[in-house]
Amino acid sequence: MNKTGNLRLKGTILLTLLLSLPTTSHSITLNEAVKLTLKNYPSLKALALKEEALKKEKAKVERERFGELSLIADYQTFNRNYILMPLSNLPKPSNPPPFNSKKAVYGASITVPLWLGGTLKKRAELVNIKANILKSLEEATVWELKFNVKSVYLTYLSLKEREKALRELLKSLSKLKEDVSFGVKVGKFAKVDLLKVDYSLEKARASLKKVIEEEKALKRALETLVGREIDEVEPVEVKYSPFNKSVKELEKELLRRNSLLKSLKEEVESARKEEELTERKYFPKVVVKGVLARNYGFDTGDNEAFGELSVNLSFPIFTAGRKGLEIREKKLLELSLVNKYKEKEKELIRELASVYSELKATEGEIRANKKALEYAKEVERIEELKYKSGKGDMDHLLLAKSNRYLTEAELRSSYYLWLLKKEELFTLLEAKDE
């Protein structure tokens, strides 16, 4: 193989190695931003941990019906001698009762609830409802975070379109300045026209600087949400198509799907369970208790075994009105939560109507901006021809250029704003845009 062939081979190998090296990219797409936010956000982790804790609590309540087995140990000392066990036979001189002033008791005891008024079942149901409330709140938080990310992301892209239009305006004004400067030199245009162009250039530069600063703030907000640095925000393809569903159709979906409403409905159910549990607290209760132990007398050295089994029935018949007050308290809490749920329904319906109205208004702006851009381009062309022919005015030309590029910026931005409003609508409905 000749030298040229060797050089080509080495170059190919080097290029292959360079391409195979891992590269660190700090660009981000909208889907990646959403996934990273949901993965790293602390409030979601906190809700998930609370939900898991409630599941453990439910399991604990359900196991209370199996009762409790305990080891017992007790040491007693008396100021007089006592017998270790109750007398089962009359004492005889040949078999006197064992008297001790000190004794120890050791063994095991068991307590098993036969009937606690159904409170165990109701407590388990109550804990399960509280876990469902947290699950609904977690779902609502997920949708809220998704929208927050999309809001920052799409607003940033909207500003990028405005920045792009301003840069194009600056480029056009710079070209105009060259033409006017040449015209002033040859005596075709007045010097004041050049000053007017310079003024428009400075104004456009100031607008561009403001937009860039706003972009920096939004990028920092996005970095805070996703939890890492971002060099570049990838564009999003906007497939514009006017939204056709009526607001009445959407209201039904909202009331059926929204997680905040679900959580409030579950809070009402939780209050009802609390009321039922309160009533059952005053039901009769039956508990079995058993003891198997030994008494050891320190004076006599006797070690007597004994067993005990009892069934305890308790039924509160007088509570000084405490039962009625507690039940009334729970009933009032339930009514309060019912009203809270109804108020949230109305609030979400109002919010839905407002977002729907803004979405339709943005669609109207897109239609208007499309037409306006056609007119602005034509006006700019005519004013430029008039000015170059000596029949036009620089103020009119500069105004036409500004209108053309700003209208173009509005049109580009409005597509992202339309997508943002659509995302807000689907966030309320908690549904994917199909």
Side-chain angles (χ1 to χ4, degrees):
M1 188 180 289
N2 57 27
K3 289 183 179 179
T4 305
N6 282 331
L7 285 172
R8 283 178 182 172
L9 179 60
K10 288 178 181 178
T12 304
I13 292 170
L14 182 61
L15 180 62
T16 304
L17 288 171
L18 285 172
L19 289 173
S20 64
L21 287 173
T23 57
T24 303
S25 174
H26 293 284
S27 65
I28 198 167
T29 64
L30 181 55
N31 286 337
E32 287 171 347
V34 169
K35 286 177 182 176
L36 284 171
T37 301
L38 296 182
K39 180 182 177 183
N40 299 323
Y41 219 73
S43 62
L44 278 180
K45 293 180 181 178
L47 285 170
L49 289 170
K50 285 181 182 178
E51 186 187 345
E52 188 63 28
L54 284 173
K55 287 178 181 177
K56 301 296 182 189
E57 184 181 348
K58 181 190 175 188
K60 181 204 74 172
V61 170
E62 288 173 339
R63 293 182 185 190
E64 285 182 28
R65 69 179 184 272
F66 299 117
E68 184 175 307
L69 177 66
S70 305
L71 293 175
I72 57 173
D74 185 30
Y75 171 78
Q76 296 174 323
T77 181
F78 307 98
N79 62 346
R80 297 175 61 187
N81 288 338
Y82 284 83
I83 61 174
L84 289 178
M85 300 290 291
L87 287 174
S88 56
N89 295 299
L90 289 175
K92 298 177 182 179
S94 61
N95 186 26
F99 288 103
N100 291 275
S101 62
K102 298 175 183 177
K103 75 169 183 176
V105 180
Y106 59 94
S109 70
I110 185 168
T111 303
V112 180
L114 292 184
W115 170 250
L116 295 179
T119 55
L120 288 181
K121 182 182 177 183
K122 292 299 175 185
R123 281 171 59 199
E125 289 175 356
L126 181 59
V127 173
N128 191 53
I129 291 170
K130 288 180 179 178
N132 288 338
I133 291 171
L134 286 176
K135 189 174 182 180
S136 295
L137 288 175
E138 185 181 356
E139 189 67 21
T141 305
V142 165
W143 282 100
E144 184 182 355
L145 284 173
K146 282 181 181 178
F147 176 70
N148 288 344
V149 174
K150 290 174 181 178
S151 177
V152 174
Y153 197 103
L154 294 174
T155 304
Y156 177 86
L157 292 179
S158 174
L159 285 173
K160 271 294 180 186
E161 291 299 334
R162 190 172 290 275
E163 178 194 342
K164 186 178 177 182
L166 285 169
R167 290 189 185 280
E168 288 172 355
L169 174 60
L170 282 169
K171 189 176 178 182
S172 178
L173 288 173
S174 297
K175 177 68 170 62
L176 178 63
K177 183 180 178 179
E178 291 176 8
D179 295 343
V180 173
S181 295
F182 180 77
V184 170
K185 284 179 183 178
V186 298
K188 185 178 180 181
F189 303 134
K191 287 185 178 181
V192 69
D193 288 346
L194 192 58
L195 291 175
K196 289 176 181 179
V197 176
D198 282 333
Y199 171 76
S200 294
L201 275 167
E202 288 304 316
K203 194 173 177 182
R205 288 189 187 109
S207 296
L208 178 61
K209 186 177 180 181
K210 182 182 176 184
V211 167
I212 289 172
E213 290 303 317
E214 288 174 354
E215 286 173 12
K216 287 179 182 177
L218 284 171
K219 185 188 278 189
R220 183 61 193 138
L222 188 60
E223 287 173 340
T224 304
L225 285 167
V226 302
R228 71 171 174 85
E229 289 186 0
I230 300 167
D231 287 340
E232 187 179 352
V233 176
E234 297 289 337
V236 173
E237 183 184 359
V238 182
K239 297 177 181 178
Y240 176 73
S241 176
F243 192 71
N244 294 321
K245 279 194 174 182
S246 71
V247 72
K248 286 293 181 185
E249 289 178 275
L250 299 177
E251 279 180 17
K252 292 177 183 177
E253 287 188 43
L254 171 72
L255 299 179
R256 181 173 59 86
R257 303 175 68 112
N258 190 271
S259 292
L260 283 176
L261 286 179
K262 286 178 184 177
S263 72
L264 288 173
K265 192 180 288 185
E266 284 156 352
E267 281 188 31
V268 173
E269 184 62 25
S270 172
R272 287 182 185 143
K273 291 294 179 188
E274 289 271 13
E275 186 183 346
E276 291 175 17
L277 181 59
T278 301
E279 288 179 347
R280 289 177 177 272
K281 277 167 56 180
Y282 298 94
F283 280 17
K285 298 177 183 64
V286 181
V287 178
V288 173
K289 294 182 179 179
V291 176
L292 184 63
R294 299 187 76 89
N295 278 342
Y296 175 76
F298 285 87
D299 297 327
T300 63
D302 290 335
N303 195 4
E304 299 285 346
F306 72 95
E308 177 188 342
L309 183 65
S310 62
V311 179
N312 297 328
L313 170 65
S314 63
F315 182 28
I317 58 173
F318 176 71
T319 60
R322 200 169 62 249
K323 175 183 175 182
L325 289 172
E326 197 173 350
I327 290 172
R328 183 61 181 161
E329 175 200 344
K330 301 301 180 185
K331 188 67 178 175
L332 290 172
L333 176 62
E334 180 192 337
L335 292 172
S336 168
L337 290 169
V338 167
N339 284 303
K340 185 179 177 182
Y341 173 80
K342 289 179 179 177
E343 179 59 31
K344 192 64 182 179
E345 266 191 345
K346 293 178 184 296
E347 181 186 325
L348 287 173
I349 288 172
R350 287 195 300 270
E351 191 175 347
L352 178 72
S354 174
V355 173
Y356 183 85
S357 174
E358 290 169 4
L359 175 65
K360 301 310 286 184
T362 306
E363 290 178 354
E365 287 173 10
I366 288 173
R367 289 193 297 270
N369 284 334
K370 280 182 178 178
K371 269 299 181 201
L373 182 59
E374 291 177 13
Y375 297 147
K377 285 180 178 178
E378 183 63 18
V379 169
E380 180 193 21
R381 187 185 68 82
I382 292 169
E383 290 296 337
E384 195 160 354
L385 288 173
K386 284 169 64 179
Y387 180 76
K388 287 180 178 179
S389 66
K391 296 178 183 179
D393 184 84
M394 175 56 73
D395 289 332
H396 294 165
L397 176 56
L398 291 173
L399 180 61
K401 280 189 173 294
S402 177
N403 283 342
R404 179 264 171 104
Y405 285 103
L406 291 179
T407 302
E408 191 168 4
E410 287 295 328
L411 177 60
R412 291 174 181 174
S413 297
S414 59
Y415 283 115
Y416 285 113
L417 295 176
W418 171 82
L419 183 57
L420 180 58
K421 284 299 167 188
K422 199 174 178 186
E423 288 292 345
E424 188 174 0
L425 190 68
F426 279 91
T427 297
L428 281 171
L429 299 173
E430 295 189 7
K432 291 182 179 179
D433 180 7
E434 297 175 356

